[in-house]
């Protein structure tokens, strides 16, 4: 079945690791969870600066709860697809997405919506007091492609998204128990038991 006229289908997909330095997301820790999506369309114009203009179309999809991959549908008129987003002779349109942007960051309060401005958005979170994050901010840039103009004016694209936050995986080898040597009277037979859940790791000069 073909797509409905006047729709743009975007499939968001968590980036698969390509090197040993890139670790895949762990679903149990919500590292691939997609809860909301902001999208921005930058039509091609024959230059390399089309993303440094205001997007021709932008919007938001909320109340999602999908792991790893999710498809959203953006409604657009056939005229919008034909004469603005995919204006002849261009069949592609650059699309930038931000996934799980915190609600305290307001897109309409930014000085502009150029790609370079969006990428400079500062996001912070309290990792120290939260063993499991609700979600992670992700972002991605790719193109959507218009379908056959002579048949159905619709478009689709796949946008790979990756976490903005860096991830460090640490393997700690600790004995479960240690028998204490009697050096103080009354300590004979005492054991030290490790508690990994209470351990903390500090980065020094990192």
């Amino acid at each position: 079945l073909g797509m409905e006229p006047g729709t743009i289908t975007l499939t968001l997909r968590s980036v698969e690791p390509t090197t040993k330095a890139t670790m895949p997301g762990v679903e149990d820790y919500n590292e691939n969870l997609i809860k909301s999506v902001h999208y921005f369309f930058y039509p091609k114009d024959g230059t390399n600066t089309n993303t440094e203009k205001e997007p021709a179309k932008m919007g938001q999809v909320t109340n999602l709860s999908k792991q790893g991959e999710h498809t959203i549908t953006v409604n657009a008129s056939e005229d919008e697809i034909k004469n603005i987003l995919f204006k002849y002779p261009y069949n592609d349109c650059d699309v930038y997405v931000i996934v799980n942007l915190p609600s305290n960051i307001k897109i309409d309060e930014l000085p502009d919506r150029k790609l370079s401005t969006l990428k400079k958005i500062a996001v912070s979170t309290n990792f120290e007091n939260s063993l499991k994050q609700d979600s992670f901010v992700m972002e991605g840039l790719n193109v959507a492609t218009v379908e056959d103009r002579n048949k159905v004016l619709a478009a689709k694209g796949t946008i790979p998204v990756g976490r903005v936050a860096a991830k460090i995986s640490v393997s700690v080898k600790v004995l479960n128990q240690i028998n204490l040597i009697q050096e103080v009277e009354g300590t004979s037979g005492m054991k030290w038991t490790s508690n990994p859940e209470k351990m903390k790791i500090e980065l020094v000069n990192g």
Side-chain angles (χ1 to χ4, degrees), residues 2-199:
M3 293 184 295
E4 291 293 326
T7 61
I8 304 172
T9 303
L10 301 176
T11 299
L12 311 181
R13 183 174 298 157
S14 295
V15 177
E16 292 294 330
T18 56
T19 68
K20 291 183 179 179
T22 305
M23 291 176 284
V26 179
E27 292 189 358
D28 287 345
Y29 296 146
N30 294 330
E31 293 178 354
N32 295 327
L33 184 63
I34 298 173
K35 297 179 66 177
S36 67
V37 180
H38 284 79
Y39 55 83
F40 307 86
F41 287 80
Y42 301 94
K44 301 283 190 180
D45 60 6
T47 72
N48 293 324
T49 60
N50 63 306
T51 57
E52 288 308 296
K53 301 176 182 178
E54 286 290 326
K57 187 177 185 65
M58 65 181 187
Q60 181 182 9
V61 181
T62 59
N63 299 320
L64 305 175
S65 183
K66 302 292 182 180
Q67 290 281 2
E69 180 174 325
H70 183 58
T71 298
I72 63 173
T73 299
V74 177
N75 293 320
S77 68
E78 293 190 46
D79 179 71
E80 190 177 14
I81 292 177
K82 181 178 180 181
N83 298 315
I84 299 177
L85 301 178
F86 303 91
K87 188 175 181 179
Y88 184 83
Y90 305 104
N91 290 325
D92 293 335
C93 180
D94 287 321
V95 183
Y96 179 65
V97 299
I98 304 176
V99 178
N100 303 331
L101 188 67
S103 59
N104 65 304
I105 299 177
K106 308 300 182 183
I107 293 296
D108 56 0
E109 294 179 0
L110 297 176
D112 57 66
R113 267 63 51 186
K114 299 175 183 178
L115 179 61
S116 58
T117 300
L118 296 174
K119 283 182 169 289
K120 291 177 183 177
I121 294 176
V123 177
S124 61
T125 187
N126 191 349
F127 288 104
E128 181 179 357
N129 296 327
S130 178
L131 296 177
K132 183 176 180 179
Q133 297 293 113
D134 291 335
S135 62
F136 288 82
V137 177
M138 296 182 276
E139 55 97 29
L141 174 68
N142 209 351
V143 297
T145 303
V146 71
E147 294 289 282
D148 189 341
R149 296 174 183 272
N150 297 321
K151 294 182 179 180
V152 178
L153 283 174
K156 61 182 178 181
T158 298
I159 316 295
V161 295
R163 293 186 308 277
V164 174
K167 178 180 178 179
I168 301 175
S169 180
V170 179
S171 177
V172 181
K173 295 182 179 180
V174 180
L175 294 177
N176 292 329
Q177 281 189 339
I178 297 177
N179 294 319
L180 299 179
I181 299 175
Q182 184 175 1
E183 293 183 353
V184 180
E185 184 178 355
T187 62
S188 178
M190 293 181 64
K191 295 181 180 181
W192 174 84
T193 302
S194 63
N195 186 357
E197 293 184 356
K198 297 295 183 180
M199 293 181 179

